[in-house]
Every structure is written in structure tokens, then in C-alpha cells.
Amino acid sequence: MMIKEINPVGSFKNWDNTKILELQNSNDSDRVGDTLLFEDDSIKVWSIILKPGDRLPFHKHTKNYTWVCLTQGTAISHYENGRIVEIQYQKGDVSYYDHDTKGDFVHNLENIGDLLLKFNTVEYK
């Protein structure tokens, strides 16, 4: 995975107005995927499938979670703090987010490449 910063934290200089309005109207959704595949007392398993040009709307992460990329591709994410990053994903990329030490955050995810992007995300309750 390669991450390129397009806009720094604390600045909304490179944001277009539609993204700012979408963020303001996001209502802190906790749907961190397209489809909830499984849920029990300890986890939620989400699927994310983004065709080229598709977006996962702004959503809020409030739990520890792990994601794995099932395909390769390119995406962009806008964060509530102004940061924008472009990410080059490789099949098999995986990451863990420790909410307990890093806290909540809101972002979106948009497929800006030519390939289908697929992820699975596991949220720990």
C-alpha cells in the first residue's frame, strides 16, 4: 500500500464544496461497509465493493477494526480534519486500527482507479 497526501490536516483548501456539504450532512453514520456480512456479540464483518467511480459515503469509525484488501486498485479518502490521501492498494494489504489509542474519525472512500476494489472489514465490539 502506498499513501500520497493530497491535502494536509487542518486545511480544506483542496476540497470541493460538494464534499464539504456531504461531510456536514453525514450524520456520523457508523456503516463502515456496503454490506453487513455477519454480526455477533463480539464482531461485525463488513464487505466493501467499489466499482470505478463508486464511493463509500462519509462514516465514523468508533471501534477497533481490521481491514483486508481483496483486489488491487486506487482510492481517495477525505477525512473530517481536512486531510485527503490517495491510496494505491495491493491485493492482500491489511491493517489494524487501534481506536482505543487513536480515537474516532470520519472519512469516505472513493475508487478513482480503473479496477474493482473489494475489502472486508472486521469491527471488534
Side-chain angles (χ1 to χ4, degrees):
M1 174 174 54
M2 291 180 34
I3 299 173
K4 175 179 151 187
E5 188 170 278
I6 295 172
N7 198 71
V9 170
S11 169
F12 288 83
K13 177 184 172 192
N14 293 314
W15 281 61
D16 63 57
N17 286 335
T18 57
K19 291 282 190 304
I20 292 172
L21 287 172
E22 183 183 330
L23 174 62
Q24 291 170 343
N25 294 318
S26 68
N27 297 320
D28 291 334
S29 170
D30 64 355
R31 288 188 56 86
V32 301
D34 292 325
T35 306
L36 182 60
L37 300 175
F38 175 80
E39 181 175 9
D40 67 13
D41 293 339
S42 59
I43 65 170
K44 285 184 178 181
V45 179
W46 295 91
S47 172
I48 301 167
I49 299 174
L50 298 173
K51 295 182 226 165
D54 282 355
R55 285 187 295 135
L56 185 64
F58 284 100
H59 54 279
K60 187 173 191 173
H61 288 275
T62 60
K63 297 171 178 57
N64 294 341
Y65 70 95
T66 301
W67 60 260
V68 62
C69 189
L70 305 173
T71 59
Q72 72 177 40
T74 307
I76 193 166
S77 277
H78 294 71
Y79 291 82
E80 69 181 331
N81 62 10
R83 185 174 188 227
I84 303 172
V85 294
E86 181 180 303
I87 307 135
Q88 297 284 329
Y89 292 102
Q90 297 300 315
K91 182 178 180 178
D93 283 345
V94 64
S95 184
Y96 173 77
Y97 183 80
D98 187 347
H99 174 269
D100 297 336
T101 59
K102 296 180 180 178
D104 294 353
F105 73 95
V106 174
H107 78 125
N108 70 353
L109 183 67
E110 180 177 353
N111 183 347
I112 61 169
D114 298 330
L115 303 170
L116 185 71
L117 269 174
K118 291 183 181 183
F119 300 88
N120 282 344
T121 300
V122 178
E123 286 185 294
Y124 307 99
K125 294 183 178 182

